Amino acid sequence: MQLAKRLENLGTETAFAVSEAAAAWKAQGHKIYPFHLGDINIPTPANIVAAQNKAIADGKTGYAPAAGIPPLREALAEVAGGERGINYTPENIAVQPGGKPVVTKFIQAVMEPGDEVLYPNPGYPIYESQIEYFGGAGRPYRYIETAHGFQMDMDYLESLITPRTRILIYNNCQNPLGTESSAAEMQHVAELAIKHNLWVLSDEAYFDVHYSGATTSIASLPGMKERTVILYTFSKKYAMTGWRLGAAIGPKEVIQAIARLNTNDESCTTHFVQWAGVEALRGDQTAARANVEILRERRDATVEILRQIEGVVVHKPESTFYLFPNVTGVMQRLGFKTVGEFADAALKQTGVSFCTRMHFGRPIPGETDHYVRFAYSGINAPDIREGLTLFRDWINSTAKGAAI
């Protein structure tokens, strides 16, 4: 008996592999400082929990429409659309069990085997996994580090486009880089999509995790609404990662296809969880705003201590809950050849656990610098300071010993 060969093309979310290593080290009695997984250790707002409990008590425990219950689709059209300055109707919404299913269903709906798909690298690894699993040809585009953070290499991106290119995956407020497009960069991306008649998947998981100013959706730019599907998730803004609630928002014909996939895959998103989503969108937003302030404090604490380490270059992003420090200098100080060795030593010596650049796509030829990713969403500020102080002191003492 053999498994299907297409499984060889199926990747994984590699941050979970780091979780296993951290859990194994913790099981041996060591304290772990978990910067590796972008989960959120903040409680879901009480009004959302109460709405779910009421829905269960009211008997909302059976099947629901494949595209989602009408009140949730209406709320998403009004609230998510309004926040983006876009006029959507419920027909533009297909509710999902999380944001991740939007990636796979969008690809199934618009990509033929052999089509080329542009996707960010470093980037969320599920893009690459799903493109290859369904027979597409992935074309990773890259970023350039500047004095102020990261920006897309637009010349490189444009050089990848051929007559076979069909899709552009765009993740503003980007995981793992924490970077956000300027208005000019987003406009350039939109112009390329229109010029080459590309579908766009706009991953907006971190649209609402913003510390200053406001985020813009590429779907709001002229000519983009009719070719863009937005990945919307309740996970980040409302601390609902385990609830598994999200939505695909986009042109009606694509949304209808995604709803058909819902019927085939899971029938529907959990009925009572959808009523919690209605409350999340229409109810009191105080707790959601407070969550951003908690994350701001954690960001500032993480950046402060990392900037005290010679050989670490870290930018302070205004969105997401990720940092992507350049650790090339500190690895040279300590004598590490690979970033994996550096991460493993940090875990064993300090308990600080983090992902590396290698967990976010295959390196593009020509890369020379080394990066790691710190997610500060799942660790409280006092533990951030405690863990990173140990991390800093270990590096300084090790570098001093190497120098002697």
Side-chain angles (χ1 to χ4, degrees):
M1 302 295 290
Q2 294 182 340
L3 298 178
K5 288 188 67 63
R6 64 177 174 271
L7 288 172
E8 297 173 3
N9 295 325
L10 190 64
T12 186
E13 188 165 351
T14 47
F16 288 108
V18 183
S19 295
E20 292 177 5
W25 190 242
K26 181 178 180 180
Q28 297 180 37
H30 305 284
K31 183 171 182 178
I32 298 298
Y33 301 92
F35 291 94
H36 52 273
L37 192 61
D39 203 352
I40 303 176
N41 70 334
I42 302 171
T44 303
N47 60 311
I48 298 174
V49 176
Q52 177 199 249
N53 292 340
K54 182 178 185 303
I56 294 173
D58 290 344
K60 308 295 188 184
T61 56
Y63 288 122
I69 60 174
L72 181 54
R73 297 174 75 194
E74 291 165 4
L76 281 162
E78 179 182 333
V79 177
E83 291 172 344
R84 291 158 175 78
I86 307 173
N87 183 26
Y88 286 120
T89 70
E91 287 71 33
N92 297 114
I93 313 293
V95 177
Q96 303 295 312
K100 189 181 292 186
V102 179
V103 179
T104 181
K105 292 174 185 175
F106 171 80
I107 287 173
Q108 290 179 75
V110 305
M111 188 193 78
E112 299 286 359
D115 284 347
E116 294 177 351
V117 182
L118 305 166
Y119 67 95
N121 186 345
Y124 189 47
I126 299 305
Y127 306 145
E128 181 179 82
S129 172
Q130 292 300 293
I131 293 164
E132 295 181 354
Y133 182 69
F134 289 105
R139 297 291 180 262
Y141 60 86
R142 66 192 182 195
Y143 289 77
I144 300 169
E145 185 175 14
T146 72
H148 306 289
F150 297 90
Q151 64 184 35
M152 296 171 66
D153 187 338
M154 296 305 300
D155 291 338
Y156 185 78
L157 170 62
E158 192 160 7
S159 74
L160 297 173
I161 300 174
T162 76
R164 294 176 57 202
T165 307
R166 184 167 177 82
I167 298 170
L168 169 64
I169 297 178
Y170 175 63
N171 180 204
N172 194 30
C173 302
Q174 205 254 22
N175 173 21
L177 303 180
T179 192
E180 184 176 6
S181 286
S182 65
E185 181 176 272
M186 183 179 289
Q187 181 62 44
H188 195 169
V189 173
E191 289 171 357
L192 287 178
I194 294 169
K195 176 181 177 181
H196 297 280
N197 196 29
L198 305 179
W199 284 106
V200 174
L201 174 64
S202 182
D203 184 344
E204 300 184 6
Y206 302 93
F207 185 90
D208 297 295
V209 183
H210 213 270
Y211 305 110
S212 66
T215 311
T216 300
S217 172
I218 195 170
S220 68
L221 300 186
M224 292 303 294
K225 178 184 176 183
E226 56 267 32
R227 67 179 63 252
T228 303
V229 170
I230 293 170
L231 184 160
Y232 183 93
T233 178
F234 290 77
S235 292
K236 318 306 180 185
K237 180 178 183 179
Y238 298 108
M240 295 175 67
T241 54
W243 293 65
R244 308 316 303 142
L245 185 62
I249 306 175
K252 293 180 183 179
E253 65 271 24
V254 184
I255 296 305
Q256 289 172 353
I258 289 175
R260 288 175 62 195
L261 289 166
N262 289 1
T263 301
N264 281 266
D265 287 355
E266 67 277 329
S267 296
C268 60
T269 299
T270 304
H271 195 166
F272 50 82
V273 169
Q274 293 189 58
W275 285 100
V278 175
E279 174 63 23
L281 292 167
R282 297 204 182 277
D284 186 6
Q285 302 296 305
T286 302
R289 289 192 290 268
N291 289 350
V292 174
E293 294 309 309
I294 292 171
L295 293 171
R296 182 198 302 274
E297 180 188 10
R298 296 178 182 185
R299 177 201 63 175
D300 293 347
T302 307
V303 169
E304 178 186 358
I305 300 178
L306 288 177
R307 285 182 171 174
Q308 296 172 6
I309 303 173
E310 181 184 346
V312 173
V313 178
V314 60
H315 307 285
K316 188 176 182 179
E318 292 302 322
S319 63
T320 80
F321 37 69
Y322 302 114
L323 303 175
F324 202 67
N326 187 325
V327 295
T328 307
V330 77
M331 285 177 56
Q332 291 172 347
R333 287 180 65 200
L334 302 182
F336 288 105
K337 300 298 183 183
T338 71
V339 71
E341 292 173 351
F342 172 58
D344 185 64
L347 173 65
K348 301 293 176 59
Q349 296 297 324
T350 70
V352 172
S353 178
F354 49 82
C355 293
T356 76
R357 186 268 178 269
M358 309 303 289
H359 295 106
F360 299 97
R362 305 180 188 103
I364 295 174
E367 290 187 24
T368 56
D369 284 352
H370 301 288
Y371 296 89
V372 298
R373 190 199 72 171
F374 281 81
Y376 49 84
S377 55
I379 178 170
N380 297 328
D383 280 341
I384 287 174
R385 296 187 179 94
E386 180 179 283
L388 291 185
T389 297
L390 292 171
F391 181 68
R392 179 198 64 197
D393 293 348
W394 164 67
I395 289 173
N396 288 339
S397 63
T398 304
K400 182 178 179 181
I404 295 173

